[in-house]
Amino acid sequence: MKAIVVRTPAGLDNLAMKELPDPGQPKAGQIRVALHATSLNYHDFLVANGAMPTEDGRVLMSDGAGVIEAIGEGVTEFKVGDHVVSCFFPQWSDGLPFDAVANFHDTPGDGIDGYAAEYAVRATTAFTHAPRGWSHAEAATITTAGLTAWRALVVNGQIKAGDSVLVLGTGGVSIAALQIAKSMGASVIATTGSDDKFERLRELGADHIINYRNTPDWGDHVLALTAGRGVDHVVEVGGAGTLAQSIRAVKVGGHIALIGVLTGFNGDIPTTELMSKQVRLQGLIVGNRRQQQEYVAALDQTSIRPVIHGSLPLEQLADAFRQQERGEHFGKLVVEW
């Protein structure tokens, strides 16, 4: 079967299409999936460019969507022909995070082979059903970005109608969070560095939009938009370079879901303001299988569909990463085959 692997030394120029052995038929408790799509995430980019080292020849990509071709003995959750989507932490079925989730040793596309391949044979716990009627490309956006946004707002944030949400930028997590927030009856303030993206954010329901390049102290602007109160939730994907502004923007007793490190890994934190506001700062990485099942169930009851910026074929995965690196996308970049 065809697959995209990363060679040592890692780098986008060292991604290669290889012919690998077919994984064969599933054993007891396993399913065989014909994969058709994956979506790009910052974690995948860090593995591909060598910032997060992995084994030479690792098959890339944590997100994978496809259709079940065969089931092993004892499998009752799935049947042949079901459309499925992968889990970021296949070993984390439910409950609170544990030691093995603190690293990526069992994460596809990092500690184990991922889904930039034609087929996969995995335990049933490595997949969930995809939303009804979604394309494989749409379903592939769930594993990392979609579930992260869901956990940030619904699982950890306990969002409710009338809440206010701040989302940063127009990447996959932020756009999914905007859509989830609006479906829950919340108001949304969105930031972007491009005036060209204002109209698209408005079309998705953003109530207020701030150009962070023109307004570097956007935390104060958020306070002004909320009559000095601040927002209930911040979906914080920037990290060190944006956290101070997010703390400024959140209300007393509010919630910040710390997800990304797009602006760097280290920085100053205004601890006095963090404490005086009694903010709940929750670090998180994606979520567990049960949360993904609940997210899919919610998607089946809504009209939400992921925003896909563009699609390339599998053999152009490196070019897709270069497009991601430029940061010009709105929503998700996907690869299909």
Side-chain angles (χ1 to χ4, degrees), residues 142-224:
I142 287 174
T143 300
T144 303
L147 181 56
T148 297
W150 174 262
R151 182 181 168 198
L153 291 177
V154 179
V155 180
N156 292 348
Q158 296 291 296
I159 190 174
K160 62 185 184 299
D163 280 358
S164 53
V165 176
L166 171 65
V167 299
L168 309 185
T170 56
V173 173
S174 297
I175 294 300
L178 191 164
Q179 293 175 298
I180 291 168
K182 295 305 296 185
S183 74
M184 301 288 286
S187 61
V188 176
I189 300 172
T191 70
T192 177
S194 170
D195 289 342
D196 294 337
K197 296 179 179 180
F198 272 47
E199 188 56 38
R200 297 194 68 185
L201 287 166
R202 288 193 186 96
E203 289 173 356
L204 289 173
D207 298 275
H208 303 282
I209 307 164
I210 303 170
N211 186 321
Y212 61 80
R213 298 188 192 280
N214 299 336
T215 312
D217 293 328
W218 44 264
D220 287 326
H221 194 166
V222 171
L223 289 178

Side-chain angles (χ1 to χ4, degrees), residues 233-250:
H233 309 272
V234 181
V235 180
E236 168 56 77
V237 299
T242 54
L243 184 54
Q245 291 297 318
S246 291
I247 292 171
R248 182 68 174 155
V250 76

Side-chain angles (χ1 to χ4, degrees), residues 16-37:
M17 176 78 80
K18 289 195 67 175
E19 191 69 32
L20 299 180
D22 188 280
Q25 294 303 303
K27 299 177 182 179
Q30 293 183 327
I31 55 176
R32 175 185 169 95
V33 180
L35 296 160
H36 292 291

